[in-house]
Amino acid sequence: MSGKLNSLTDVLKKTLFFFESLSVAELAPYVHRKMLVDYTREQVEEKVCLCLEQHKCFESSDGYIWVINLEGKRENDHFYNVLLKKQKPLSLNELSRNGNKRKKSKPVAEQADLISDGRFIQLANGLWGLTEWEVETEHYSLKHLIIKALKIHPTGLSLAQLTDVINNWRHTGQGEILGVLKKFPYFDEIGRGVWCYNAEAKVVYDRIIKRYLEALKRQRERWNRERNKWSRKNTALRKQIDEVSAAHREAAAALALRQSEMGRYEQMTTQMAEKDLLLALRKKEIYRYKEHLQKLEAKANSILYQCRLWVARYKEKEAENQKLQQLLNKSQSSQEILFGKLQQYKERDRENKAKIIEIKENHANRVAELQTEIVELKQKMERLKENTSQEQKIWREEINTLSADLKHAMAEGEKLGHALRLAQQELAKAKDECRVMENYLTHPLVKMMARIVSKFKRSTGQVIS
């Protein structure tokens, strides 16, 4: 049977049907897990106790342990038989149609009878089912599952047997079961590994735990009262400290106000003294301004005189410009001559460079020939070492002749090197002269004259054409 239960009564029926007997404190956690989530533990216990007392299907002999009455009412037996046959939840109308048709009663009365009957539970969708259908054992604690298993077997069970029984409801290891058995004193070990449940010890244990929790609650309430008392004292002392600090602040503010007033008084006296000093300084400044005006008049007269001098100098500069124009014309003619000489020097430089290249090539060829000859002679000398002394004398004479030729070639090489150095000196002199000419040509007056001459030539060429 799948579906959410409708009310607190149905949750209590389902739980008590599986465990047979539980206290209010033991029922509260299961109820709190499925409904009444926003309530505290004490509020949930009050709601559970009130529900157990209101419905007749719940019974308690001592007011502590509660059980469910599964006998029910005789007038609801036909509903019970219908649900056993159908094996599925049905609505109240379907139960009424399939049940006893002779009796006709109101639906509200029938629903009240079913609610007070421990054999029936109502789902959230309004359907009715049997309490004994599909108990959800995974939501129950291991402790209560062990109690139920030991109640079913009052003679006791070994750890392996107890594990097998509990695994039918929920998969659990032997270590967890053994830990629970050793944790609570109402599980007694009769023999070797055989455990049984002591209900009286359980009741005593629950009452002791309840008293202990009540004592803790009273102790906590007493601590809360003391904490509230000390907090009130603390707030009162803080108020006194705040009042004292406020008085200190007011006194400091008064002292600061007095100091500010004294500062203002001193500031006013210093301002009056400064004003007197400023008046005296203003008088001195007026005298200075008069002297300054006289100096400015003298400067104006001197500036006027300088202007007249600048006019005279301007006229002199114009005369100098005319002279420079004449010099420019002369320098233009000399520039043309210098250009011609520069071209001649460049041609000579080219010829000298060509000659130097030829001399270098001839010298390199001669040196290469001599080196090849020396290598050949060395090879011949190595081959002829094995010959007789007479052959050595003949070759020595030939080597002497060759060395003489070599000396002669070296002398010629020195002469060529001397000629090369002379040519390089002449080239350096030509370069120096070329630099001097270029520096002379880079003069701004020369450039300006060259531009004027080129413009003049173009204008004359256009006029002629």
Side-chain angles (χ1 to χ4, degrees):
M1 180 181 63
S2 61
K4 190 176 179 182
L5 298 176
N6 183 46
S7 63
L8 174 61
T9 307
D10 300 316
V11 176
L12 294 174
K13 285 180 182 179
K14 202 77 172 173
T15 307
L16 288 174
F17 171 78
F18 183 73
F19 290 111
E20 295 179 2
S21 62
L22 288 175
S23 63
V24 175
E26 292 172 339
L27 286 168
Y30 302 114
V31 174
H32 194 259
R33 189 180 294 123
K34 290 191 174 184
M35 56 181 58
L36 303 178
V37 180
D38 298 332
Y39 286 72
T40 60
R41 186 66 176 269
E42 290 78 9
Q43 291 175 345
V44 173
E45 289 182 0
E46 290 178 2
K47 293 287 184 182
V48 170
C49 187
L50 183 62
C51 183
L52 291 171
E53 291 173 354
Q54 285 179 352
H55 295 88
K56 296 179 180 179
C57 59
F58 302 116
E59 297 177 354
S60 176
S61 59
D62 55 356
Y64 181 73
I65 300 297
W66 290 85
V67 296
I68 185 170
N69 184 8
L70 295 176
E71 293 179 0
K73 298 179 180 180
R74 293 182 179 179
E75 56 267 21
N76 295 330
D77 290 342
H78 58 282
F79 294 139
Y80 182 75
N81 295 327
V82 170
L83 289 173
L84 280 177
K85 290 179 182 178
K86 297 289 183 180
Q87 289 295 317
K88 65 177 182 179
L90 297 174
S91 64
L92 187 62
N93 295 328
E94 291 174 347
L95 289 172
S96 300
R97 287 197 301 270
N98 294 324
N100 191 358
K101 296 181 180 179
R102 296 178 182 178
K103 295 182 179 180
K104 292 183 180 180
S105 58
K106 295 181 180 180
V108 177
E110 291 179 354
Q111 186 173 2
D113 291 338
L114 292 177
I115 290 171
S116 60
D117 196 329
R119 296 174 294 175
F120 301 95
I121 57 171
Q122 187 179 13
L123 302 178
N125 55 7
L127 301 180
W128 288 86
L130 296 179
T131 309
E132 61 195 36
W133 286 350
E134 294 184 16
V135 179
E136 297 176 356
T137 57
E138 64 271 7
H139 297 296
Y140 300 130
S141 64
L142 181 60
K143 178 183 73 173
H144 291 123
L145 293 176
I146 293 170
I147 293 171
K148 179 174 177 59
L150 293 175
K151 282 183 177 180
I152 296 171
H153 303 83
T155 57
L157 292 172
S158 64
L159 183 60
Q161 293 172 349
L162 186 60
T163 304
D164 294 335
V165 173
I166 292 174
N167 283 331
N168 295 327
W169 299 321
R170 189 177 72 184
H171 182 70
T172 310
Q174 288 186 2
E176 296 179 6
I177 296 172
L178 185 61
V180 174
L181 290 172
K182 290 182 178 180
K183 182 178 179 181
F184 297 101
Y186 43 82
F187 296 117
D188 296 333
E189 189 174 4
I190 302 171
R192 292 183 179 179
V194 179
W195 296 84
C196 67
Y197 171 65
N198 190 347
E200 295 178 357
K202 171 92 169 41
V203 173
V204 174
Y205 176 79
D206 290 341
R207 287 177 179 175
I208 290 170
I209 292 296
K210 187 175 181 181
R211 290 177 184 176
Y212 177 71
L213 293 175
E214 289 176 355
L216 286 178
K217 186 176 180 181
R218 289 194 298 272
Q219 182 70 22
R220 185 177 62 184
E221 290 175 354
R222 185 169 66 253
W223 286 346
N224 289 330
R225 287 195 298 271
E226 290 179 357
R227 186 178 63 182
N228 294 328
K229 182 175 71 175
W230 284 108
S231 63
R232 286 193 295 271
K233 288 183 179 180
N234 190 16
T235 52
L237 290 173
R238 284 185 179 178
K239 287 181 180 179
Q240 292 177 2
I241 291 168
D242 292 337
E243 291 175 357
V244 172
S245 61
H248 282 298
R249 285 194 294 271
E250 289 176 358
L255 290 172
L257 182 62
R258 183 180 177 185
Q259 289 178 357
S260 63
E261 289 178 354
M262 291 295 292
R264 287 179 184 176
Y265 176 74
E266 292 176 356
Q267 187 178 3
M268 291 294 290
T269 53
T270 53
Q271 286 179 358
M272 293 297 292
E274 287 176 357
K275 286 181 179 179
D276 294 336
L277 182 60
L278 288 171
L279 289 173
L281 293 173
R282 289 287 174 85
K283 289 180 181 179
K284 290 181 181 180
E285 286 180 357
I286 290 166
Y287 290 119
R288 287 177 186 172
Y289 286 145
K290 286 181 180 180
E291 293 176 356
H292 187 62
L293 288 172
Q294 291 176 0
K295 289 178 181 180
L296 289 174
E297 287 178 358
K299 282 184 180 180
N301 293 327
S302 65
I303 289 167
L304 182 60
Y305 177 72
Q306 287 178 359
C307 289
R308 290 172 182 172
L309 291 175
W310 288 343
V311 170
R313 287 178 184 176
Y314 176 72
K315 290 178 180 179
E316 291 177 357
K317 290 292 180 181
E318 283 184 351
E320 289 178 359
N321 288 331
Q322 290 176 0
K323 291 179 182 180
L324 289 172
Q325 186 70 30
Q326 293 174 0
L327 292 172
L328 182 61
N329 295 327
K330 291 178 181 181
S331 64
Q332 186 175 1
S333 60
S334 63
Q335 186 180 5
E336 292 175 356
I337 296 166
L338 290 171
F339 275 122
K341 289 182 180 180
L342 181 61
Q343 293 295 329
Q344 292 176 1
Y345 284 128
K346 286 182 179 180
E347 290 176 359
R348 288 178 185 176
D349 188 17
R350 289 171 190 165
E351 292 174 357
N352 291 327
K353 286 180 179 179
K355 288 179 181 179
I356 289 166
I357 292 167
E358 290 177 0
I359 291 166
K360 285 182 178 180
E361 290 177 355
N362 294 328
H363 179 69
N365 293 327
R366 184 62 179 168
V367 170
E369 290 175 358
L370 291 172
Q371 287 178 353
T372 54
E373 288 178 359
I374 290 166
V375 171
E376 290 175 357
L377 289 171
K378 286 181 179 180
Q379 292 176 356
K380 289 178 181 180
M381 286 174 69
E382 290 177 355
R383 291 174 185 173
L384 295 173
K385 281 181 181 181
E386 297 177 356
N387 295 331
T388 60
S389 61
Q390 292 178 358
E391 290 177 355
Q392 287 179 357
K393 290 178 182 180
I394 294 167
W395 284 111
R396 282 174 185 173
E397 290 176 357
E398 289 181 358
I399 289 167
N400 290 328
T401 56
L402 289 171
S403 61
D405 293 335
L406 180 61
K407 288 178 181 179
H408 182 68
M410 292 294 289
E412 288 181 357
E414 289 178 357
K415 289 179 181 180
L416 289 172
H418 183 66
L420 179 63
R421 285 193 293 275
L422 292 174
Q424 287 178 353
Q425 290 176 2
E426 289 180 359
L427 180 62
K429 289 179 181 179
K431 285 182 178 180
D432 292 336
E433 291 178 358
C434 182
R435 288 194 197 97
V436 171
M437 293 299 293
E438 287 177 354
N439 292 329
Y440 184 73
L441 290 173
T442 54
H443 196 276
L445 294 174
V446 175
K447 287 183 179 180
M448 186 170 66
M449 288 300 296
R451 290 175 185 171
I452 293 168
V453 169
S454 62
K455 288 181 181 179
F456 181 72
K457 285 182 179 179
R458 288 176 186 172
S459 63
T460 53
Q462 289 176 1
V463 172
I464 293 166
S465 62

